[in-house]
Amino acid sequence: MLGLVIRAFQRFIEDTYGAAAAAAVAQRAGLPVAGVEAMRIHQAGLAEAAIAAAEAVLGRPRAGLLEDFGTHLVSRPDRPALRRLLRFGGAGFRDFLASIEDLPGRARLALPELALPQLELEDRGGGRLTLSCRPPAPDLLHVAAGILRALADDYGALVVVEPEAAADGGPVLAIDLLDARFAAARPFALVAGAS
């Protein structure tokens, strides 16, 4: 697991719940309180240990914790890099969704060590879409739900995003695009600082 992901989760805990909670989570998970080395590859179970420790220390359910983490990743005004990267996916929310299957490949261009599963978007018509991962990755879908809700707000789209089970029993996100132009989108420019 790339340390960047674990470090981002640690930063989310500290930003949202405070330094004492972050230290307690790190201690319980066996992580350095100052944060893991971001560009180092860490053992696979370290991310799971961090999530399980956060659940126990904070008393929050896993799904809600991971959705909040996804929202945090793209909504912090003092850390706009991921939001900007994702906004390159399209001029509107529907355009962004149409390009979402390319996201793992684009992520590998920037961070070859970051292994994201294949994303599959199915348009069911009438503004209803589903997003799934291959292989199934329920935790990633929870994070994706938070990211999608935050980006829909960013684009000014009215969207309902809910987890559900697919016909094969695997997890999917149901995305109901109710109004692509519900509100004014947040300003965005290709050049940082120009918006």
Side-chain angles (χ1 to χ4, degrees):
M1 169 65 67
L2 186 61
L4 186 65
V5 176
I6 301 166
R7 180 67 192 118
F9 186 74
Q10 287 182 285
R11 180 168 278 162
F12 155 68
I13 298 297
E14 185 173 347
D15 289 350
T16 307
Y17 299 98
V25 168
Q27 184 176 19
R28 185 176 182 113
L31 298 169
V33 174
V36 298
E37 175 71 35
M39 296 312 290
R40 186 171 159 229
I41 303 295
H42 296 274
Q43 63 191 32
L46 214 49
E48 173 57 36
I51 295 167
E55 285 181 280
V57 169
L58 302 171
R60 295 274 328 276
R62 182 182 199 94
L65 193 62
L66 292 173
E67 286 179 26
D68 290 349
F69 173 51
T71 300
H72 181 268
L73 285 172
V74 296
S75 64
R76 293 290 307 219
D78 57 332
R79 294 185 210 120
L82 183 58
R83 171 190 172 259
R84 290 187 51 71
L85 182 66
L86 292 172
R87 286 290 301 262
F88 278 106
F93 190 68
R94 184 175 285 282
D95 298 329
F96 165 75
L97 288 175
S99 74
I100 204 164
E101 290 179 344
D102 300 330
L103 189 58
R106 285 186 277 149
R108 275 190 300 278
L109 288 173
L111 295 166
E113 299 85 7
L114 183 62
L116 292 177
Q118 177 184 347
L119 299 175
E120 297 175 0
L121 187 73
E122 181 183 344
D123 190 340
R124 296 187 175 177
R128 184 159 178 92
L129 305 106
T130 58
L131 180 66
S132 60
C133 299
R134 296 292 174 249
D139 285 346
L140 179 63
L141 285 178
H142 292 307
V143 174
I147 290 172
L148 289 174
R149 287 184 183 122
L151 283 176
D153 187 54
D154 209 54
Y155 279 108
L158 180 60
V159 176
V160 175
V161 179
E162 295 292 334
E164 68 177 39
D168 65 1
V172 298
L173 284 180
I175 305 163
D176 289 307
L177 181 54
L178 304 175
D179 188 345
R181 291 190 164 93
F182 180 73
R186 283 182 55 195
F188 178 75
L190 294 177
V191 179
S195 54

